[in-house]
Amino acid sequence: MCVTCGCASDGTQFFALTPRPVESGRRVLAVERSLLAENDRQASVNRQAFDARRITAFNLLSSPGSGKTTLLVNSVTALSERCPVVVIEGDQQTDRDAQRIRATGVPAVQINTGKGCHLDAQMVNRALAELALVDDGVVFIENVGNLVCPAEFDLGEHAKVVILSVTEGDDKPLKYENMFHAADVVVLNKVDLLPYVAFDVALCRQYIARINPRAEILLVSATRGDGIAEWLRWIEQRRNANIATPREVAAPAQRT
Ligand code: MG
Ligand code: ZN
């Protein structure tokens, strides 16, 4: 993850304390573990805050340009008629995506990560303080566009949504196995472009099933509207299941 690619979220502090990876692989691994353990602790705090209000949180992950924001823009309006919805937008720069969400009438907070290429649980915690959360609602967290390190960072969400545009190629599940392994659902987006690109849906399904048999797969065109009803149904199902889940206050997950 980011310790090795140099994009640690708390960049300045981190580089001051850590030797270069080539100097000590074991030391880097230890720092990586403690960074992730601290993230897991904060993610658990976030999850408890959600659970105390029966809020269901979704972490949206993909490469840049897969259509995450368009999918949200074209679904939060319908969803917000059924339940309270808020959005946290993660990007390195600009608040363009948050503005697009706010234009629908749904509250949104933008996190700019600067050089950081993922959201972490602490950032989400700070963003949550800016939002008026409502019981039984839904929180969407749009992660920074990146199929690598965001897979490692639990944000306290109840489900990970991985979006893959058909323009990216059907072999991406094989190339970014960690990301697809973590997915609760994979949204194959931009299916309206299938006639124009070399993307074998059946083959992609096989790859995903091989890596992660439990992942559901939805075929969607966020711009044309295909599959949006199924996507909203999936969200409602997850939300209903989450609301019905009896709560115990869970201890933070331990990394070994
Ligand atoms: Mg976006
Ligand atoms: Zn990163």
Side-chain angles (χ1 to χ4, degrees), residues 163-178:
I163 297 148
L164 174 64
S165 157
V166 300
T167 57
E168 296 174 62
D170 48 30
D171 59 351
K172 290 301 168 289
L174 299 181
K175 292 187 174 182
Y176 300 95
E177 193 177 316
N178 283 349

Side-chain angles (χ1 to χ4, degrees), residues 1-3 5-10 61-62 90-92 112-120 123 143-151 153 179:
M1 62 125 210
C2 302
V3 173
C5 78
C7 68
S9 59
D10 211 354
L61 306 134
S62 78
D91 277 299
Q92 289 192 319
N112 282 141
T113 58
K115 289 183 180 174
C117 59
H118 63 272
L119 293 180
D120 67 29
M123 295 175 197
N143 219 306
V144 179
N146 175 3
L147 283 176
V148 187
C149 46
F153 286 82
M179 181 58 80

Side-chain angles (χ1 to χ4, degrees), residues 3-4 15-29:
V3 173
T4 42
F15 285 109
L17 296 171
T18 312
R20 289 176 174 279
V22 288
E23 287 174 23
S24 168
R26 204 178 290 171
R27 175 88 186 268
V28 168
L29 198 63

Side-chain angles (χ1 to χ4, degrees), residues 103-181:
T104 69
V106 167
V109 165
Q110 182 79 48
I111 302 172
N112 282 141
T113 58
K115 289 183 180 174
C117 59
H118 63 272
L119 293 180
D120 67 29
Q122 179 75 44
M123 295 175 197
V124 168
N125 187 267
R126 276 184 242 141
L128 288 171
E130 306 285 323
L131 288 161
L133 299 177
V134 182
D135 291 359
D136 300 330
V138 165
V139 175
F140 289 110
I141 305 163
E142 182 181 333
N143 219 306
V144 179
N146 175 3
L147 283 176
V148 187
C149 46
E152 303 271 353
F153 286 82
D154 182 7
L155 304 180
E157 74 275 356
H158 298 94
K160 283 185 166 71
V161 178
V162 174
I163 297 148
L164 174 64
S165 157
V166 300
T167 57
E168 296 174 62
D170 48 30
D171 59 351
K172 290 301 168 289
L174 299 181
K175 292 187 174 182
Y176 300 95
E177 193 177 316
N178 283 349
M179 181 58 80
F180 287 84
H181 183 72

